[in-house]
Amino acid sequence: MAGLHIPNILLAIPRNPVTAVGLPLALGFLSGSPASKVANKFSFASWETPREVFPYVWTLLYIAMGYASHIAVKSLDSSDFSENRSDISLGLALYYGQLGLNCLWSPLFFGGRSVTLALADSILLTGTAFYMTVRLIFVLRFREASD
């Protein structure tokens, strides 16, 4: 993978752990807040997860995602191998892609009431997150083994 360019601003954000965590938290809050009003109108089965749990779970998820982007950028900055840098750059590009797809899901499902588009978004999101994880785990494990 040669020549994947990520704009400097998208590398600068995760270099600082506060902004790395703050970006997904802010985007998640902005995309999820209007949806929570609509979601409260749905009726849920008694065996389903209580809706009160979701804000806490998503907050922890967004914190983990943001901090993972911080670790990836730190690895990018310290990597001397062009192949590793390309893989990490791809992982970061996929991170931003899955973050965007994640933010689209609530407006598609709750705002647009489009189950089909929300399902397509979920499928793309799952594939993107899986591939991002595979790429970054491979590079970070290789880096640990060589240290």
Side-chain angles (χ1 to χ4, degrees):
M1 163 125 245
L4 180 65
H5 174 73
I6 298 176
N8 287 335
I9 186 71
L10 296 181
L11 294 174
I13 291 168
R15 280 195 178 107
N16 180 321
V18 173
T19 55
V21 169
L23 177 66
L25 279 173
L27 291 175
F29 177 78
L30 291 172
S31 72
S33 290
S36 66
K37 293 176 183 77
V38 176
N40 287 333
K41 295 177 183 173
F42 286 112
S43 59
F44 292 93
S46 61
W47 51 268
E48 290 189 62
T49 305
R51 69 186 80 177
E52 294 82 15
V53 172
F54 287 98
Y56 300 106
V57 171
W58 278 105
T59 299
L60 291 174
L61 180 64
Y62 285 131
I63 289 170
M65 288 168 46
Y67 196 72
S69 73
H70 173 68
I71 292 170
V73 168
K74 282 179 31 178
S75 294
L76 178 70
D77 291 342
S78 65
S79 178
D80 294 331
F81 300 109
S82 63
E83 186 175 324
N84 284 357
R85 291 182 63 79
S86 292
D87 284 339
I88 296 169
S89 293
L90 174 60
L92 286 166
L94 291 166
Y95 163 73
Y96 282 109
Q98 66 87 27
L99 187 60
L101 289 167
N102 198 323
C103 290
L104 281 175
W105 190 88
S106 289
L108 289 173
F109 184 79
F110 294 113
R113 306 208 187 225
S114 176
V115 174
T116 304
L117 288 176
L119 178 61
D121 180 84
S122 293
I123 292 167
L124 287 170
L125 174 60
T126 301
T128 303
F130 178 77
Y131 189 58
M132 172 198 65
T133 302
V134 168
R135 297 306 319 153
L136 291 176
I137 283 178
F138 172 77
V139 172
L140 296 177
R141 283 197 179 159
F142 175 76
R143 182 172 173 243
E144 286 176 4
S146 66
D147 285 344

